[in-house]
Amino acid sequence: MPHFDTVLFDLDGTIVDSAPGIVQSIAHTLREMGKAVPPMSDLLHWVGPPLPQSFQTRAGLSASEIEEAVAIYREQYLNVGAYDARLFDGMGAILRELRDDGRHLALATSKPTTPATLMLEHFTLVPYFTVIAAAADDESRGEKHLIIGDALEGLDALGIDPSDMVMVGDRIHDIEGAKEHGIPTAVVRWGYGTSEEWLHADHQIDTPRQLRALLGL
């Protein structure tokens, strides 16, 4: 049974069901800019990638429009959306058991630092993580492989050998970002990805019990 000394976690769609607040904030942003608002089922797939990327590829916004959209979104999300979330069932217990078992936990999220910190503090999750890596508040450096690189640098600075590591996420960006660093991946299918995305992971996880088994708990 695999026993990973270090576990790298995504946040949105993996540990926390943050979609309601994110989707509401995106819809608010598009309405404020006079843009069409897609169905909520479509907006769900905006969750995970860096937000400027989603505004460009999914809404076709120009560079100047993206800057305006990010500003509108950020104000709405920090004031309202960040608190419209819940822990996925069983994930708090898994984090606690991993820490108590002496594992090193690191967070790698494309969510900007301020809302990521607010969410972690809201759910009292900060003490579980040895390293927290997130995007910049201006939404720069949001690419997952860069954030995972930041997490690895943080672990290295603490003298933690990340060679026995797994990345737990829910989207293709988690899978591809981890693979750039040679890290095996486990994708949770309770998140916001698609079946096509999940095929690229080394492990597909349907329940917290399966995740516990993979991690040797």
Side-chain angles (χ1 to χ4, degrees):
M1 180 179 297
H3 179 102
F4 299 100
D5 291 332
T6 305
V7 185
L8 186 60
F9 281 98
D10 174 49
L11 182 60
D12 296 326
T14 301
I15 297 173
V16 175
D17 182 8
S18 52
I22 293 175
V23 166
Q24 182 276 335
S25 298
I26 293 171
H28 169 83
T29 300
L30 294 173
R31 284 193 295 268
E32 285 290 302
M33 297 185 68
K35 304 293 184 180
V37 178
M40 293 301 166
S41 58
D42 291 344
L43 285 177
L44 187 65
H45 297 300
W46 292 48
V47 182
L51 193 59
Q53 178 182 327
S54 292
F55 279 130
Q56 179 185 32
T57 60
R58 294 184 177 275
L61 301 190
S62 67
S64 60
E65 287 177 322
I66 290 171
E67 185 175 349
E68 179 185 358
V70 167
I72 295 171
Y73 172 90
R74 186 163 184 262
E75 181 179 5
Q76 176 71 10
Y77 187 73
L78 289 177
N79 289 334
V80 180
Y83 304 100
D84 189 2
R86 68 175 184 88
L87 275 178
F88 283 113
D89 292 343
M91 288 307 296
I94 287 175
L95 295 177
R96 183 178 62 253
E97 290 180 44
L98 286 169
R99 181 199 61 183
D100 293 347
D101 194 42
R103 315 291 185 90
H104 299 292
L105 305 184
L107 187 79
T109 175
S110 293
K111 185 185 288 296
T113 299
T114 296
T117 302
L118 285 174
M119 182 167 286
L120 291 171
E121 291 176 344
H122 178 69
F123 291 109
T124 65
L125 298 177
V126 173
Y128 296 129
F129 293 100
T130 305
V131 169
I132 295 172
D137 276 337
D138 63 0
E139 299 282 350
S140 64
R141 281 187 64 81
E143 296 90 341
K144 204 54 177 270
H145 70 96
L146 295 177
I147 294 169
I148 291 174
D150 291 342
L152 294 175
E153 287 182 9
L155 292 167
D156 182 67
L158 295 172
I160 298 170
D161 179 7
S163 58
D164 186 20
M165 171 186 282
V166 66
M167 171 79 204
V168 180
D170 71 308
R171 297 297 311 272
I172 188 66
H173 308 85
D174 302 313
I175 299 166
E176 292 177 344
K179 285 187 175 181
E180 286 202 31
H181 295 278
I183 301 171
T185 54
V187 67
V188 297
R189 300 204 296 187
W190 57 74
Y192 312 134
T194 64
S195 56
E196 290 80 12
E197 294 178 39
W198 296 333
L199 290 174
H200 298 277
D202 297 295
H203 307 276
Q204 295 187 36
I205 304 296
D206 289 309
T207 66
R209 176 174 290 185
Q210 289 182 2
L211 181 59
R212 288 170 52 84
L214 176 71
L215 300 176
L217 292 174

